[in-house]
Amino acid sequence: MSTKLTWPQILSWRLRRQFVSEADGPGAVAVARRLCGVQAQVASSARLVVAVRSAGPDPGEIDRALWEERTLVKTWIMRGTLHLLPADQLADYCAALSTLRFWEKGSWQRGHGERDRGDHRGGARRARRAGPLLALTEHLDTLAATAPSAAVHLLPGFDQYILAAPRGLAALIPPELKAKVSRQAGWISPVVVHEGRVAGVWEAKGGDLTLDLAAPVPRAALDAAVARMLALG
């Protein structure tokens, strides 16, 4: 059975599933669980990732969960970077990480004087780019009924909404914005999202936000999103 979906529907559904559109995340642990980890290489970005998804943002929540309640852990896991994970899922993530055949990566082989054989890996990458989208059958009805979002959101750097998607997904990140979103040394910029798609990037400077937009965004909705991010920051 196949279900026809549009990218605006899919992106709107992602916003809701990731607690962005409703800002109804029940807490840092639940947000980390839903996002399969919160990238925490930059602590302030991790705090904002949780805060923008929370009905009642609490600046001290992550520290309490890490050091007092022990319900979150911070460790190097996906992509070899620091993440916040639910403590009760740490063993699962470590077990999954243990299956990674890191010695097949070109970067590892070059660093250890081995020749990058390439063989099946390029074909696998092409298959992932060209293959169909997969969704759990329990979500199909909700996906099909999802209306496109017209909302505007500001998301912090290293947000899972960007990290969890393919970098070449033009439906999410327009090609002309790719270099501004995914920068050198693995830096992922804070983004402005309109209708589920990246419309630009932003930067915090001196208590204010500088916007760099590549597409028209409704002014009133943008102003509200900026005000919310300033309040959270």
Side-chain angles (χ1 to χ4, degrees):
M1 181 186 75
S2 63
T3 300
K4 290 186 177 180
L5 300 167
T6 65
W7 275 113
Q9 282 180 292
I10 293 168
L11 296 176
S12 178
W13 183 80
R14 286 189 78 229
L15 287 170
R16 189 167 73 247
R17 285 291 296 174
Q18 291 196 14
F19 298 129
V20 174
S21 57
E22 304 299 329
D24 57 353
V29 177
V31 169
R33 194 182 305 278
R34 175 65 61 83
L35 298 185
C36 296
V38 172
Q39 219 271 15
Q41 203 77 5
V42 179
S44 58
S45 291
R47 183 179 64 79
L48 284 174
V49 165
V50 172
V52 298
R53 291 167 165 81
S54 300
D58 179 352
E61 182 183 16
I62 289 176
D63 283 343
R64 288 197 308 275
L66 283 171
W67 309 115
E68 298 175 21
E69 300 160 2
R70 303 289 183 173
T71 51
L72 280 179
V73 295
K74 181 190 287 189
T75 189
W76 287 269
I77 198 82
M78 286 80 73
R79 298 179 298 278
T81 58
L82 283 171
H83 280 73
L84 300 175
L85 300 172
D88 60 4
Q89 289 185 327
L90 176 60
D92 298 330
Y93 280 92
C94 290
L97 188 64
S98 71
T99 68
L100 178 65
R101 298 170 64 88
F102 56 86
W103 58 86
E104 290 184 345
K105 289 186 175 182
S107 58
W108 188 93
Q109 293 179 359
R110 289 190 296 273
H112 289 76
E114 296 290 334
R115 182 170 56 89
D116 185 357
R117 291 181 291 276
D119 52 28
H120 63 280
R121 291 186 295 280
R125 285 194 292 269
R126 286 191 294 273
R128 284 197 295 273
R129 286 198 297 266
L133 291 172
L134 301 178
L136 296 175
T137 54
E138 65 192 76
H139 293 155
L140 285 179
D141 289 343
T142 305
L143 256 171
T146 297
S149 170
V152 177
H153 303 281
L154 262 62
L155 298 178
F158 300 99
D159 194 277
Q160 193 77 340
Y161 190 72
I162 302 301
L163 285 175
R167 296 291 185 273
L169 184 59
L172 175 65
I173 304 175
E176 64 271 20
L177 277 175
K178 183 178 177 183
K180 291 184 178 181
V181 174
S182 185
R183 291 157 54 191
Q184 291 183 346
W187 189 270
I188 303 298
S189 298
V191 295
V192 179
V193 174
H194 176 224
E195 298 179 342
R197 195 177 192 218
V198 175
V201 297
W202 62 270
E203 183 179 5
K205 286 184 177 180
D208 201 358
L209 296 184
T210 301
L211 303 172
D212 182 0
L213 300 176
V217 177
R219 190 74 234 181
L222 179 61
D223 288 346
V226 168
R228 181 166 186 261
M229 182 56 69
L230 287 171
L232 292 174

